[in-house]
Amino acid sequence: MECASHLLEIAQSTLAACRFEKDCRYYGAERRLPVFLPAGDDKYPSFWVRDCAMSSLSGLMADDDLLHYIEYIALCGQNGPEPRALQHALRVPPFAVADHINYNGRPVFFPGTYSDGDDQGQGAFGFYPPLDDNYWFILMAAQYVRQTGDRAVLRRDYAGMALGERLTRAWEGYCIDPKTGLCTGDDRRYVVDWGFCDSIHKSGLMLMPSLLRRQAALALQEMGLMGDGTARAQRIDESILSNLYDPESGWFYSASRICRQWDVWSTAYAVSIGVLDGRTQALERTRKALETAYIRRTAVEHGYVRQLPLSCDPPYWQSKGPGGGYQNEDYWSTPTGWYYAALKPQAPDLAQALMEEFIRHTWRHRELGAPFEFINRDMSRYSGCVYATSAALPYAEYMRMNAVP
């Protein structure tokens, strides 16, 4: 199977379906503007920062559109230099980036609501905004600069602050453990680690947002906004390996306290971005864990990936309990590209089989709306039709791993 052409067709058609024209106030006055939504079925009617940023990594977004999306965040979706107190003890730290931005140009910092005022929930989705959006904002901007060569945009003023400064302030972030440099969360006044786990309560040192913080440091260095990005990334790697890696199994733990469990997505992502490069034994052990989970069907079905392996005890998030599907037990293709990238150097045949499995499933269920946001194991339940990251990231990682030197 010629995977590249299939993945390109799936990604292009999906991203096109997720681009809408809406009446918006992102520039202070209502006008018709492009808005990128997470799914082509309009399941989530708001501009989601992470979904747009993740999808932009495909390199398939038009330059002008991508610049618009970055500007929406800079103008409407980033808090200012002072913390913002919301109802029910929720707090928005300085320079925090919104979870999503409504068409009226007002930011919603917390998942689970479209309310853009002072009542944005009661803590069911954390007491601080999810930790990942600050870093996705940086990665989106880096993709734009890489794609266009336009570094002048980093000096452009947005609401009284240059874009480059907004990005560096975003990286400084909040809920950072000073000893390790990793993202962290409290047991009780907890914070969502990242948006694809926004219904899960974790605490302690957090793996996925720390991996994104690592990548954002490298991106800032690439854009000339951070002189020691590589050193900061290396410090994060060392802290992750010291605190969130299980050397016996090869899996990474999702968090250090609540939900200290093997995390399939983050393990695949960590390998794909090189956290274990130069650590031969650990890298071989982790790749073997991913290979075994694929072969034994404890992590993958139809080319879609569980958040926890079935071999994990329990095979659902500890803070959630059994049942409920969704982020607790269902399968997603957003991380399929990361899994592919982690497998390919050592097990190229398995990596190819994984991607072909995803492609066949997509074409077989195209009329139902594949690729989906998530499915259950026997495909009796699915949700989120024509889902952007489900198509964009498998394509992006396949092309990255098969780039001609």
Side-chain angles (χ1 to χ4, degrees):
M1 178 186 289
E2 177 50 52
C3 285
S5 59
H6 286 287
L7 291 169
L8 176 61
E9 184 177 352
I10 291 168
Q12 285 179 324
S13 60
T14 300
L15 296 190
C18 293
R19 182 192 186 277
F20 291 77
E21 297 277 345
K22 300 284 186 179
D23 292 326
C24 305
R25 295 188 63 87
Y26 294 142
Y27 293 104
E30 188 166 294
R31 66 187 76 179
R32 201 76 173 167
L33 290 168
V35 181
F36 190 83
L37 303 189
D41 62 0
D42 207 8
K43 177 182 177 182
Y44 299 104
S46 187
F47 173 77
W48 252 263
V49 170
R50 80 178 53 81
D51 292 80
C52 185
M54 294 171 80
S55 299
S56 77
L57 301 182
S58 67
L60 297 177
M61 285 186 181
D63 297 348
D64 289 346
D65 282 357
L66 185 50
L67 180 57
H68 273 303
Y69 303 148
I70 292 166
E71 290 179 338
Y72 298 166
I73 302 169
L75 292 170
C76 305
Q78 186 176 29
N79 192 31
E82 299 299 325
R84 178 181 169 190
L86 303 182
Q87 293 179 21
H88 312 297
L90 272 58
R91 188 175 180 85
V92 182
F95 301 106
V97 173
D99 186 71
H100 48 290
I101 309 170
N102 289 338
Y103 304 144
N104 61 7
R106 293 175 60 86
V108 183
F109 287 95
F110 290 85
T113 182
Y114 290 95
S115 173
D116 50 39
D118 286 339
D119 185 354
Q120 297 191 15
Q122 300 186 29
F125 293 91
F127 290 84
Y128 301 91
L131 294 172
D132 60 322
D133 287 296
N134 281 33
Y135 308 122
W136 287 122
F137 180 31
I138 295 166
L139 295 174
M140 182 193 294
Q143 175 62 34
Y144 173 79
V145 172
R146 193 178 305 122
Q147 188 170 308
T148 64
D150 177 16
R151 288 178 175 266
V153 71
L154 300 173
R155 299 187 297 273
R156 192 175 301 173
D157 183 279
Y158 290 101
M161 182 176 290
L163 177 62
E165 185 176 357
R166 288 188 171 278
L167 298 173
T168 56
R169 292 297 185 91
W171 191 86
E172 291 168 3
Y174 51 97
C175 297
I176 306 299
D177 175 57
K179 181 179 179 181
T180 62
L182 303 185
C183 297
T184 187
D186 189 69
D187 289 2
R188 297 185 65 185
R189 286 180 51 80
Y190 86 104
V191 58
V192 165
D193 64 337
W194 80 296
F196 281 81
C197 279
D198 61 16
S199 69
I200 311 300
H201 178 176
K202 305 177 189 179
S203 74
L205 302 175
M206 307 277 199
L207 177 57
M208 189 62 181
S210 298
L211 294 172
L212 295 173
R213 182 172 170 79
R214 171 200 198 268
Q215 292 303 95
L218 296 174
L220 289 172
Q221 178 172 281
E222 179 185 343
M223 291 186 284
L225 298 172
M226 179 180 285
D228 59 348
T230 298
R232 292 176 188 243
Q234 289 172 346
R235 181 193 177 205
I236 290 172
D237 288 351
E238 291 167 2
S239 295
I240 286 173
L241 288 166
S242 297
N243 295 279
L244 294 169
Y245 183 64
D246 180 2
E248 292 188 9
S249 69
W251 293 105
F252 285 83
Y253 293 116
S254 191
S256 65
R257 290 202 299 269
I258 298 176
C259 292
R260 184 175 173 83
Q261 297 171 269
W262 298 342
D263 186 328
V264 178
W265 292 29
S266 298
T267 296
Y269 186 57
V271 174
S272 75
I273 62 177
V275 170
L276 293 175
D277 287 1
R279 299 171 172 88
T280 304
Q281 290 185 342
L283 181 58
E284 289 179 354
R285 189 177 298 112
T286 298
R287 282 183 170 148
K288 187 64 176 178
L290 289 164
E291 291 172 26
T292 301
Y294 177 71
I295 293 168
R296 295 182 179 175
R297 315 308 286 178
T298 57
V300 180
E301 282 292 346
H302 314 294
Y304 284 57
V305 184
R306 283 177 57 92
Q307 295 196 3
L308 299 167
L310 289 170
S311 56
C312 183
D313 184 18
Y316 47 80
W317 292 114
Q318 292 170 340
S319 62
K320 196 75 173 176
Y326 189 45
Q327 295 170 350
N328 202 33
E329 296 175 326
D330 284 336
Y331 294 73
W332 308 61
S333 62
T334 290
T336 298
W338 301 335
Y339 210 117
Y340 170 87
L343 290 178
K344 188 173 190 301
Q346 186 168 297
D349 291 344
L350 289 183
Q352 183 73 9
L354 167 65
M355 201 59 79
E356 290 183 0
E357 191 177 350
F358 165 70
I359 292 168
R360 285 194 298 270
H361 183 272
T362 299
W363 290 134
R364 188 180 306 124
H365 298 283
R366 195 61 166 165
E367 290 187 3
L368 294 178
F372 305 107
E373 178 184 5
F374 61 89
I375 61 176
N376 67 347
R377 194 171 193 180
D378 64 5
M379 263 300 292
S380 61
R381 182 180 68 252
Y382 58 87
S383 185
C385 298
V386 199
Y387 201 78
T389 59
S390 295
L393 290 185
Y395 167 78
E397 289 299 291
Y398 185 89
M399 297 307 293
R400 182 176 71 86
M401 296 301 295
N402 292 279
V404 177

